[in-house]
Amino acid sequence: MSRNLTAYRVMATIVGVLLVVLCLVGVPLANFDGSPMWGVFDSTPAWVTTGSDLNNLGEVITTYLGVAHGWLYMIFLFSAFALSRRAGWDLPFTLVTLACGTIPVLSFWAEHRATQRVRAEHPELA
């Protein structure tokens, strides 16, 4: 189970960092130009100019990190689910842990919580 925990922790950290950069850097730089966004918001804050270097950087971040995050999130889901089965987690704890990988910053809390639980329930890993 030690390998499952390590794989989960590595993937949770990678996915968490990518999600923070994607949501807190890439999306604002790519979309906060004062125009409507995703057909949901009538307008966004006008922080960057369309076509500027910062706007282009935001586009690159959202395009490439968005795809990378999506693929890596699938690996995260697999590693978290494998750990949940090996550690004997109940369904609610498993689902919350999996869902937290989609929320910036909260994923780090979920990883810490899951690691604490595994180490408490399986002292041979501590």
Side-chain angles (χ1 to χ4, degrees), residues 29-47:
L29 289 178
N31 296 295
F32 286 10
D33 57 6
S35 64
M37 185 168 70
W38 304 324
V40 176
F41 304 104
D42 293 334
S43 68
T44 58
W47 291 352

Side-chain angles (χ1 to χ4, degrees), residues 79-92:
S79 65
F81 185 75
L83 177 62
S84 76
R85 296 302 88 207
R86 291 286 308 256
W89 295 347
D90 56 355
L91 185 60

Side-chain angles (χ1 to χ4, degrees), residues 18-96:
L18 289 180
L19 190 58
V20 166
V21 172
L22 182 64
C23 292
L24 301 181
V25 178
V27 170
L29 289 178
N31 296 295
F32 286 10
D33 57 6
S35 64
M37 185 168 70
W38 304 324
V40 176
F41 304 104
D42 293 334
S43 68
T44 58
W47 291 352
V48 295
T49 305
T50 303
S52 67
D53 289 342
L54 284 176
N55 183 249
N56 292 334
L57 175 63
E59 291 292 337
V60 168
I61 289 171
T62 56
T63 299
Y64 294 106
L65 280 186
V67 171
H69 171 73
W71 283 102
L72 292 169
Y73 183 71
M74 295 301 125
I75 298 169
F76 163 78
L77 285 177
F78 177 77
S79 65
F81 185 75
L83 177 62
S84 76
R85 296 302 88 207
R86 291 286 308 256
W89 295 347
D90 56 355
L91 185 60
F93 188 86
T94 300
L95 292 176
V96 167

